[in-house]
Amino acid sequence: MAANNSTTSLWRSWRLQRRVIFALLMRETLTRFGRHNIGFLWMFAEPMMFTLGITALWSIMGAKHGSDLPITVFALSGYSSVLLWRNMPSRAISSIQPNLALMYHRNVKLIDIFIARLLLEAAGATMSFFLLSLIFIYIGWVDPPEDILKVIAAWALLAWFGMALAILLGALSEHYELVEKFWHPTAYLLFPLSGAGFLLEIVPEGPRNLLLYLPMLNCVEYLRDGYFGSLFTAHYSVSYVIACNSVLTLLSLAKLRQVSRTVVPK
Amino acid sequence: MITIRDVSKSYHTRSGLKVVLRDVNFDVHPGEKLGILGRNGAGKSTIIRLLSGVENPTRGHIHRQMSVSWPLAFGGAFQTSLTGLDNLRFICRVYGVDPESKVPFVEEFSELGRYLREPVGSYSSGMLARLAFAISMTIEFDCFLIDEIIAVGDQRFHDKCHVELFERRADRAMIFVSHDINYIQAHCQRAAVLSDANLTMFDNVPEAYEFYLAQ
């Protein structure tokens, strides 16, 4: 009986949380994109514009970044990845205070606010990557991925990394204003190191091993291995990324729990 | 029933720890109307926040065996760039109520007309209060939390609120928090006084008032 009760209540909690996250998701979508012109299509139109711009720029400059790869697939995989992991923390930082009043609706928890925001961000980046891939494959600028499961796994790992990092930084930013100040320069400086603009095979072994401490770099290499792995030698460790993500997730949830005990809505 | 057991709440301030509530104990039974009297800054809003569950006590337990509302007519959670209707839909979704089934009631009750389809940010404070009250009435609770007097709009609207809350929902429990004795007297059987972080319960309102005046 007791066991039965607890499954029921776990099931009910899950349904409740889904309901709350859906409500927040709708609210966030409307707030950010509104109903004007193309409305929520901006969710992926915006990242698509970024990626297209970078792809065009690199193609014109002939920026081969030290390899003979087709530039389109290189830019598409690289810049889409950056958008995925970098935008989530930016959306999460300093997002607690403006949303605190929502907590008067007792079922709404801080974690739900974060999850709704981050899902929206991840969905936008994913749709952008997916649609651009389809378009480029259709017009023949890009060959279909060699191993689509690897691409999906790499994308999922990168999204997980972005989410865990976002929740950790979002929760920390509630206690330390400096997080907000430091995130933008850090994200900017990490961009050239994140593998968006180069392949690890051109890097000498010494610095390469150092660079491989960056989880997002591992993910980008893994993603490209799935997309066009036969054209280069990929360097990455999936187990390292999983370990990193797990630790980040644990830290982020612990910090969020601590913050949620101390925040005081007006 | 709601049981409040040994509840204390303190905040860290620059001048040290400030105890707002100390070992507060009381019960709220279904259908009961309880008033809490207190001067400004006595901790009335804190007690409402603890009861609504938006904050947790520093020590002690609050056990809710009935559903407890958010503070009545609270509009702080509105997203001002969204329309009144969108805000209504959000609240309905959070509580698992079909939003479209509540639109006619809110349209009729709030008397906002076409403004219901305009951003909440463009509302006057009176319109905001009318929307907030109407939305509060779309979700059913066993216990309503009422922070200060609901003096919304003109007399006619005031009367409508009265009917909706005190007549149609006369069977619900209500917890009133106010410094206005007339208001508490009009609605409550029992009252408590909040002073110096202590909550003192009285079986009737006049006794509570006497104690409150002596503070």
Side-chain angles (χ1 to χ4, degrees):
Chain A
M1 189 66 204
N4 190 19
N5 265 342
S6 73
T7 24
T8 322
S9 87
L10 195 68
W11 173 241
R12 275 167 94 196
S13 305
W14 158 242
R15 281 197 1 201
L16 182 74
Q17 188 154 26
R18 243 184 14 189
R19 198 168 82 198
V20 169
I21 291 174
F22 173 72
L24 286 165
L25 208 58
M26 296 294 286
R27 178 179 188 265
E28 189 76 9
T29 312
L30 273 176
T31 308
R32 279 187 65 192
F33 308 111
R35 290 202 178 86
H36 312 294
N37 53 64
I38 62 168
F40 85 102
L41 292 180
W42 279 119
M43 182 171 95
F44 45 89
E46 201 185 326
M48 273 170 84
M49 273 155 45
F50 267 109
T51 314
L52 275 176
I54 289 286
T55 309
L57 213 59
W58 286 0
S59 300
I60 294 164
M61 294 194 311
K64 293 276 178 177
H65 300 84
S67 70
D68 320 317
L69 283 171
I71 190 72
T72 314
V73 70
F74 178 78
L76 172 68
S77 55
Y79 206 72
S80 300
S81 306
V82 171
L83 285 180
L84 180 63
W85 69 264
R86 199 182 59 181
N87 286 5
M88 282 198 269
S90 305
R91 290 294 305 165
I93 288 171
S94 304
S95 69
I96 293 182
Q97 282 301 326
N99 284 305
L100 265 190
L102 287 179
M103 315 257 300
Y104 273 103
H105 304 291
R106 194 162 3 125
N107 297 329
V108 182
K109 302 287 177 210
L110 284 183
I111 184 83
D112 302 321
I113 297 172
F114 276 121
I115 288 177
R117 283 197 155 201
L118 298 176
L119 275 180
L120 195 62
E121 206 58 49
T126 306
M127 282 302 288
S128 153
F129 179 51
F130 180 70
L131 286 177
L132 283 177
S133 288
L134 278 187
I135 294 169
F136 285 143
I137 290 169
Y138 182 73
I139 60 177
W141 289 9
V142 165
D143 290 328
E146 292 168 11
D147 185 343
I148 196 145
L149 284 181
K150 262 188 195 170
V151 174
I152 294 172
W155 192 258
L157 281 177
L158 193 58
W160 178 15
F161 168 74
M163 260 190 201
L165 183 69
I167 295 177
L168 180 63
L169 292 177
L172 280 171
S173 68
E174 177 64 21
H175 285 169
Y176 310 102
E177 283 171 31
L178 281 180
V179 173
E180 190 180 0
K181 306 263 184 296
F182 275 103
W183 167 250
H184 290 286
T186 310
Y188 196 78
L189 292 172
L190 276 176
F191 171 51
L193 296 179
S194 69
F198 65 91
L199 292 173
L200 264 183
E201 65 173 7
I202 62 153
V203 180
E205 192 164 347
R208 181 199 297 158
N209 289 338
L210 277 181
L211 283 171
L212 275 171
Y213 280 108
L214 293 171
M216 52 281 199
L217 183 51
N218 285 271
C219 293
V220 175
E221 286 278 313
Y222 187 27
L223 182 91
R224 284 175 170 159
D225 191 25
Y227 226 120
F228 51 92
S230 62
L231 304 179
F232 76 112
T233 315
H235 298 269
Y236 58 86
S237 158
V238 172
S239 53
Y240 172 71
V241 176
I242 292 179
C244 258
N245 286 357
S246 307
V247 171
L248 266 180
T249 307
L250 203 68
L251 286 175
S252 65
L253 293 179
K255 186 66 197 171
L256 189 62
R257 192 177 157 83
Q258 188 203 2
V259 168
S260 61
R261 283 210 203 99
T262 54
V263 287
V264 183
K266 294 287 167 304
Chain B
M1 185 155 122
I2 311 173
T3 24
I4 290 89
R5 285 289 169 272
D6 305 319
V7 164
S8 297
K9 182 74 190 176
S10 42
Y11 294 103
H12 293 280
T13 66
R14 288 189 184 190
S15 49
L17 202 66
K18 164 120 174 83
V19 181
V20 182
L21 298 172
R22 190 182 290 118
D23 295 324
V24 168
N25 284 287
F26 64 98
D27 298 332
V28 184
H29 301 276
E32 188 181 10
K33 314 286 183 287
L34 171 71
I36 298 175
L37 279 163
R39 300 199 183 281
N40 282 331
K44 299 193 296 289
S45 297
T46 303
I47 223 168
I48 285 281
R49 284 206 299 268
L50 292 177
L51 287 168
S52 76
V54 64
E55 257 187 278
N56 292 320
T58 314
R59 276 189 291 114
H61 296 280
I62 298 178
H63 194 62
R64 300 179 192 82
Q65 283 168 306
M66 45 189 190
S67 60
V68 181
S69 77
W70 69 85
L72 198 80
F74 174 72
F78 285 150
Q79 173 66 268
T80 50
S81 62
L82 295 185
T83 66
L85 269 186
D86 285 332
N87 276 289
L88 165 68
R89 290 196 185 102
F90 169 71
I91 305 271
C92 285
R93 286 190 191 114
V94 164
Y95 288 93
V97 170
D98 171 34
E100 301 315 314
S101 70
K102 298 295 178 185
V103 172
F105 168 79
V106 172
E107 265 178 340
E108 193 272 324
F109 193 85
S110 68
E111 299 172 11
L112 283 167
R114 61 191 176 85
Y115 276 100
L116 211 48
R117 287 167 181 80
E118 295 291 322
V120 166
S122 68
Y123 288 16
S124 68
S125 58
M127 290 160 75
L128 208 60
R130 261 149 48 205
L131 177 69
F133 193 92
I135 291 183
S136 278
M137 291 295 109
T138 59
I139 315 289
E140 295 302 334
F141 292 102
D142 302 325
C143 177
F144 285 94
L145 302 178
I146 301 161
D147 195 354
E148 292 303 338
I149 308 172
I150 321 146
V152 179
D154 53 19
Q155 187 59 42
R156 201 171 59 86
F157 189 77
H158 204 150
D159 294 342
K160 264 169 62 175
C161 293
H162 189 92
V163 170
E164 202 57 44
L165 187 61
F166 299 120
E167 291 175 22
R168 297 229 170 106
R169 288 169 182 75
D171 57 330
R172 313 301 165 80
M174 293 179 193
I175 301 172
F176 299 81
V177 153
S178 181
H179 50 71
D180 184 334
I181 183 64
N182 295 325
Y183 188 58
I184 300 274
Q185 192 133 39
H187 297 293
C188 304
Q189 301 108 29
R190 269 202 314 160
V193 178
L194 201 54
S195 62
D196 300 324
N198 292 308
L199 188 80
T200 322
M201 291 294 290
F202 295 90
D203 285 332
N204 58 59
V205 179
E207 269 179 49
Y209 187 50
E210 208 170 300
F211 182 81
Y212 174 65
L213 283 183
Q215 291 299 305

